[in-house]
Amino acid sequence: MILHIDMDAFFASIEQAINPRLKEKPLIVGSRDNRMHTVVCAASYEAKAYGIDSGMSSRDALQLCPNLEFVPAQQGRYIWISEQIFRMLEGYGFSLAYTSIDEFQMDINDSVEPQKFARQIQERIYADFHITASVGIAKNWLLAKLASKLNKPNGIAVLTDTNLTEILDLVAVGKICGVGKKTGQILSDLGVKTCLDLYLKSADFLEQNLGKYGFNLYLSLHSQERFEPAEEESRPKSVGHSYTLPRATQTPGFIRAWVRLLSEMVAQRLRAQNLLADTVHLWLNGPEMGNLGAQKAFHEGSNDGYQIYQRSLKIMAKIGPKMPKVRALGVTCSGLLPNRYLPLFEEQKRREDLLKTIDKINGRFGEGSIYPGIIGLTKRMPRI
Ligand SMILES: [Mg+2]
């Protein structure tokens, strides 16, 4: 069986656990400091009772509940607690995977009774972190994830062969992970309204109407397979790109443009392997300076070319006011970790969508064909 463990209102619950004044109060966590101009990225259950939920503007939320408490998001805090929970769960010895910052999946065997074990995990999470979690139990990851939503908060739901159809019949199809508004509408037009309607459709039917996604959805719904925990061993130690210029140059804008391009190329390779780097290394070579290299760490892992470029610029700034002649240069990222997180906030989601599109374009037209613009960069970019 698969256990899907999902923290209830994770960010908001953490804030309430840390600050007793916020306990049992309607609370939102905003992606920015400005309480009037941000997006709700988490709402406490007390706030949800007013109809407030993530994705809503804080202005609308405040209108629904004027005495709403507000806390700007502390991303580092949430990631840190998530890591602690992961480590605690790992201690049970079953294979474990991240599904998102506040969701974990565990593949258990017959040595434990699923419901009792789920209760034990909930109690442990509450004792250690003072937050609650809901657990879904089913034969595969998709159904377990669905089950985790059925009795929120602090609930347990088990989908067994005997109760599966009865329960799926009560749940709207939009509750299934991956069925968004658009797919939901297509399904609804086909008469597929509940999860059971979807479950009873054939692979052919779903493929005909939803394409490859439909076929995969069928497989996910009916799979008896255990998930494969992500392999961590095969990841490289570092990812880098370098380039030798046709002749030595000391024009800062030109050198920066090259650093930018190399940073973007490195970032693209990190993203292709779903990795984050925690350190950037820049080296420059020139007739006057010989080999010169330095490194700089990130606060949090990154695979964003612009951030890699920014770190590289800081390294360059240390060289001095006058740029020596540069003949060759390279950007390398190390301290590589698997990227386990989905973007938390709207701004990050937009940035990630942009980067994904850029990766697609570069995949088709060649590396370095396009990358995000910034103000202050030279207009003419070098081409490889
Ligand atoms: Mg959650």
Side-chain angles (χ1 to χ4, degrees):
M1 292 294 249
I2 300 291
L3 247 61
H4 185 94
I5 304 152
D6 180 5
M7 306 306 122
D8 302 320
F10 188 50
F11 305 161
S13 304
I14 289 174
E15 297 301 339
Q16 287 179 320
I18 289 173
N19 184 350
R21 191 183 67 78
L22 300 173
K23 277 233 162 81
E24 283 160 35
K25 292 221 175 115
L27 162 90
I28 59 168
V29 175
S31 56
R32 289 198 205 125
D33 289 355
N34 189 326
R35 63 184 289 137
M36 291 310 288
H37 294 280
T38 185
V39 176
V40 178
C41 55
S44 71
Y45 278 89
E46 294 81 5
K48 284 182 205 269
Y50 287 88
I52 295 166
D53 218 337
S54 30
M56 193 180 262
S57 80
S58 57
R59 196 180 283 270
D60 290 348
L62 280 159
Q63 236 154 33
L64 289 171
C65 174
N67 57 351
L68 192 61
E69 299 281 348
F70 173 83
V71 182
Q74 309 286 329
Q75 203 180 329
R77 182 181 283 176
Y78 312 144
I79 290 175
W80 189 83
I81 294 182
S82 169
E83 299 266 349
Q84 304 304 308
I85 296 172
F86 187 86
R87 249 167 249 164
M88 182 274 279
L89 292 173
E90 241 178 355
Y92 287 103
F94 295 111
S95 45
L96 184 71
Y98 262 103
T99 337
S100 83
I101 186 168
D102 74 324
E103 293 174 34
F104 311 88
Q105 292 210 333
M106 201 186 263
D107 187 347
I108 57 167
N109 58 32
D110 303 340
S111 65
V112 289
E113 202 275 296
Q115 286 201 58
K116 239 194 216 162
F117 184 55
R119 183 62 67 199
Q120 194 185 331
I121 285 175
Q122 283 178 320
E123 284 167 3
R124 180 79 188 275
I125 289 172
Y126 192 76
D128 290 2
F129 305 98
H130 310 288
I131 60 174
T132 63
S134 294
V135 184
I137 304 163
K139 63 180 178 180
N140 61 43
W141 76 269
L142 188 60
L143 291 173
K145 185 170 165 73
L146 177 72
S148 74
K149 295 186 199 167
L150 300 179
N151 287 325
K152 267 185 165 291
N154 202 21
I156 294 175
V158 194
L159 296 177
T160 61
D161 286 341
T162 17
N163 72 10
L164 185 67
T165 55
E166 188 190 329
I167 292 177
L168 290 186
D169 197 26
L170 301 171
V171 186
V173 74
K175 284 263 182 191
I176 293 264
C177 170
V179 176
K181 258 195 195 141
K182 219 172 115 195
T183 311
Q185 192 54 53
I186 297 171
L187 287 170
S188 168
D189 292 345
L190 294 164
V192 177
K193 314 259 182 206
T194 69
C195 290
L196 182 62
D197 296 337
L198 183 69
Y199 192 78
L200 296 177
K201 291 295 175 200
S202 68
D204 282 348
F205 177 90
L206 292 178
E207 190 171 15
Q208 264 164 33
N209 291 291
L210 299 172
K212 193 156 189 274
Y213 164 76
F215 183 71
N216 288 334
L217 188 60
Y218 178 88
L219 289 184
S220 298
L221 272 173
H222 295 272
S223 156
Q224 295 280 359
E225 283 167 32
R226 290 149 180 262
F227 65 82
E228 290 291 328
E231 264 198 48
E232 296 207 4
E233 298 319 312
S234 59
R235 65 176 186 261
K237 290 249 185 305
S238 67
V239 170
H241 271 292
S242 60
Y243 191 68
T244 304
L245 303 172
R247 60 188 164 74
T249 177
Q250 57 191 147
T251 312
F254 187 73
I255 297 164
R256 279 203 300 272
W258 270 102
V259 172
R260 179 77 207 270
L261 183 58
L262 295 173
S263 300
E264 289 296 343
M265 287 164 69
V266 168
Q268 237 163 283
R269 277 177 56 199
L270 289 172
R271 292 196 293 270
Q273 298 176 71
N274 203 27
L275 293 169
L276 295 175
D278 67 15
T279 305
V280 179
H281 184 93
L282 175 76
W283 68 266
L284 301 166
N285 172 282
E288 298 147 27
M289 64 177 157
N291 267 328
L292 198 145
Q295 60 180 47
K296 204 146 179 61
F298 290 115
H299 295 300
E300 274 159 21
S302 175
N303 56 20
D304 186 325
Y306 183 62
Q307 289 181 13
I308 295 170
Y309 171 63
Q310 288 293 318
R311 288 293 182 285
S312 304
L313 285 189
K314 283 194 178 151
I315 297 170
M316 276 170 72
K318 285 189 200 152
I319 294 172
K322 196 172 179 297
M323 191 66 179
K325 281 192 173 175
V326 173
R327 180 67 207 279
L329 69 173
V331 175
T332 302
C333 280
S334 59
L336 306 182
L337 298 161
N339 181 12
R340 285 174 176 147
Y341 302 112
L342 298 172
L344 301 185
F345 308 129
E346 208 37 54
E347 291 86 349
Q348 289 178 334
K349 270 185 208 136
R350 276 207 296 272
R351 179 85 188 161
E352 198 149 288
D353 287 347
L354 172 73
L355 295 177
K356 262 188 209 147
T357 309
I358 284 171
D359 288 346
K360 251 187 234 162
I361 293 170
N362 285 330
R364 226 171 116 189
F365 298 104
E367 248 186 312
S369 299
I370 185 175
Y371 47 89
I374 47 159
I375 299 158
L377 198 68
T378 54
K379 288 204 184 86
R380 283 179 60 85
M381 298 301 296
R383 293 272 323 167
I384 284 181

